[in-house]
Amino acid sequence: MEEEGVPIDAVGGTSIGAMVGGIYARDPSALLVRAITTKFAKEMSSTWGRFLDLTLPVVSYFTGWGMNRTLGLALGETKIEDCWLPFFCCTLDLISCMPIVHRNGTLWRYIRASMALVGFLPPVCDTERGHQENMHVLVDGGYVNNLPTDVMRALGAHYVIAVDVAGEGLDARKLVPWGDGISGTWLLLRSLLPRWLGGGHSIPTMADMQSQLPFVTDTVKHQTRLEDIDVYVRPNVSHVGILEFNRYSTIIQQGYEQGLKMAREWKAHNPDVVLLLEQGMHIRGGLVTLQKPRRANIPSAFNSRETLASDSSEDLKNFDLELKGHHDNAFSGDFSDDEQSASSNARMFFRTTSTALATDLTWTPAPKQKRRRDAHDFAS
């Protein structure tokens, strides 16, 4: 999206989408998001780290301390309401059996709750400050809303871009009928045999079944959800397991290629969107221009006060003409209320900067320094 000049105004997500979206909302940079998620994937795919995080499966296979530490180091104590971009994530409360949309609180903690797959990670116990009786047992929001485009639309988004990494169900080609009962001991011994001897898994494991449950509601809501989506990005990652973090490079590449393709198709079929993006680029380009250093206002030992003031006055006239061009190009056309507000803020920024330059024309030149004599001077 950054490569195609599509600005992101708000981010939301569920499960792994909550983590990626939360990182981007905190630091809106695709490069930084890639670096943090790559480090996260490497740590979560560590065999030794998983072994240390194992526990008796009374509540879950893993204690959750490993993921807590990794997310805490990446996001710190940032609050959701303090992110650069508006952000939300979704969880399911097992007490009220209702979905919850989180828009404030500790960022890493609610992202961790949104990723709490039942059986793999323990739920997050959330209590309201001063009201211990108001307890919430939070698990992965994918059980109720795996792709929360309806929440994003309800929050006022005009254009919704959705990234769907949901699975497509179990692969029936790898399964064989197993009857009405299963021996776990026999399955374990059989899985140790090579495939040419009939080994391997021919029956879905607990992990396989748990990883598909969050996508059940996604399949039911899929057709209705498409009506709320402007750009639908579905990378070809259904063959990647839900815990296969070691394949992060494949996932990143698939997401980039599919996202770039869909963004370009969207712009090709919507000329009004292209015009809107160009207007936004003109506005942003005008603001960036004002931040560039101005050559005429840099004092040196060889500038006199009169010359510098003359150059600055002439440069200020050119600058005012440039501002007028920005006004004519960037603020022409019809704007909504939000666009008018942004336009007025930009005009105020232009006026403030012009006033600052007009009042800052009295540079004090540095004292003249004695020129160093070089070999050429002695030769002459």
Side-chain angles (χ1 to χ4, degrees):
M1 295 301 150
E2 288 184 0
E3 186 174 326
E4 288 299 306
V6 180
I8 306 300
D9 299 321
V11 190
T14 300
S15 196
I16 193 67
M19 189 199 76
V20 177
I23 296 174
Y24 190 83
R26 180 177 181 265
D27 299 292
S29 167
L31 183 62
L32 186 59
V33 170
R34 179 167 183 168
I36 295 176
T37 52
T38 298
K39 182 178 180 181
F40 173 84
K42 289 181 178 180
E43 294 186 6
M44 295 306 300
S45 60
S46 169
T47 304
W48 179 245
R50 290 185 181 181
F51 176 77
L52 294 178
D53 204 38
L54 282 173
T55 185
L56 291 175
V58 178
V59 178
S60 60
Y61 290 121
F62 302 103
T63 65
W65 291 115
M67 181 172 286
N68 294 350
R69 181 182 64 255
T70 304
L71 289 175
L73 291 175
L75 300 174
E77 294 300 320
T78 304
K79 303 293 184 182
I80 294 178
E81 58 269 29
D82 294 333
C83 291
W84 283 102
L85 297 178
F87 171 74
F88 71 86
C89 62
C90 301
T91 62
L92 169 64
D93 179 19
L94 293 181
I95 292 182
S96 64
C97 295
M98 294 291 292
I100 298 180
V101 177
H102 302 277
R103 300 190 63 192
N104 54 63
T106 305
L107 180 62
W108 77 262
R109 195 163 184 269
Y110 287 115
I111 289 177
R112 156 70 173 80
S114 187
M115 300 175 68
L117 277 172
V118 175
F120 291 107
L121 292 172
V124 172
C125 180
D126 189 34
T127 57
E128 297 180 13
R129 183 176 299 177
H131 301 278
Q132 298 296 329
E133 66 278 3
N134 296 334
M135 181 183 296
H136 303 282
V137 178
L138 306 177
V139 296
D140 196 312
Y143 293 114
V144 287
N145 197 349
N146 192 52
L147 196 64
T149 56
D150 54 337
V151 179
M152 181 63 75
R153 187 73 73 179
L155 294 178
H158 187 66
Y159 295 104
V160 175
I161 302 171
V163 183
D164 188 2
V165 294
E168 297 179 349
L170 298 173
D171 189 355
R173 296 171 298 178
K174 298 181 180 180
L175 305 178
V176 295
W178 57 84
D180 299 326
I182 297 177
S183 171
T185 304
W186 169 247
L187 288 176
L188 178 62
L189 295 175
R190 185 177 177 180
S191 65
L192 300 177
L193 296 175
R195 288 196 174 274
W196 60 274
L197 287 178
H201 291 292
S202 59
I203 299 175
T205 64
M206 185 183 299
D208 294 333
M209 293 182 288
Q210 287 285 359
S211 63
Q212 295 299 324
L213 289 178
F215 308 140
V216 174
T217 56
D218 182 72
T219 303
V220 174
K221 297 180 179 179
H222 179 72
Q223 192 58 41
T224 306
R225 181 183 290 123
L226 288 178
E227 300 175 358
D228 286 334
I229 298 175
D230 296 286
V231 183
Y232 182 65
V233 181
R234 187 176 176 85
N236 184 22
V237 294
S238 58
H239 59 283
V240 181
I242 201 168
L243 294 180
E244 291 185 301
F245 291 101
N246 57 315
R247 302 181 66 179
Y248 61 88
S249 57
T250 301
I251 299 172
I252 291 175
Q253 185 63 28
Q254 288 288 338
Y256 170 77
E257 293 176 357
Q258 188 66 16
L260 192 64
K261 174 185 175 183
M262 298 309 298
R264 289 176 175 175
E265 288 184 3
W266 176 53
K267 292 168 64 176
H269 291 88
N270 295 272
D272 56 328
V273 171
V274 178
L275 179 60
L276 184 63
L277 293 176
E278 289 179 352
Q279 291 177 344
M281 291 178 64
H282 281 307
I283 296 175
R284 292 193 300 272
L287 296 179
V288 171
T289 301
L290 296 179
Q291 298 174 1
K292 293 182 179 179
R294 303 186 57 75
R295 181 169 53 86
N297 282 346
I298 300 178
S300 67
F302 304 100
N303 287 133
S304 65
R305 184 184 302 272
E306 293 77 16
T307 303
L308 186 61
S310 175
D311 291 343
S312 299
S313 300
E314 183 65 26
D315 197 59
L316 182 60
K317 294 178 181 178
N318 297 332
F319 183 73
D320 289 336
L321 293 176
E322 182 182 351
L323 289 181
K324 185 179 184 300
H326 280 299
H327 281 294
D328 295 338
N329 294 330
F331 303 114
S332 61
D334 297 328
F335 289 88
S336 63
D337 294 339
D338 293 339
E339 291 166 340
Q340 288 178 355
S341 176
S343 173
S344 62
N345 291 337
R347 289 195 184 97
M348 184 179 296
F349 183 85
F350 287 147
R351 287 198 299 269
T352 304
T353 308
S354 300
T355 305
L357 289 174
T359 57
D360 195 15
L361 298 176
T362 56
W363 286 96
T364 302
K368 293 185 178 180
Q369 300 178 1
K370 187 176 181 181
R371 186 171 66 87
R372 180 181 300 176
R373 302 181 66 185
D374 51 20
H376 177 74
D377 293 331
F378 287 108
S380 59

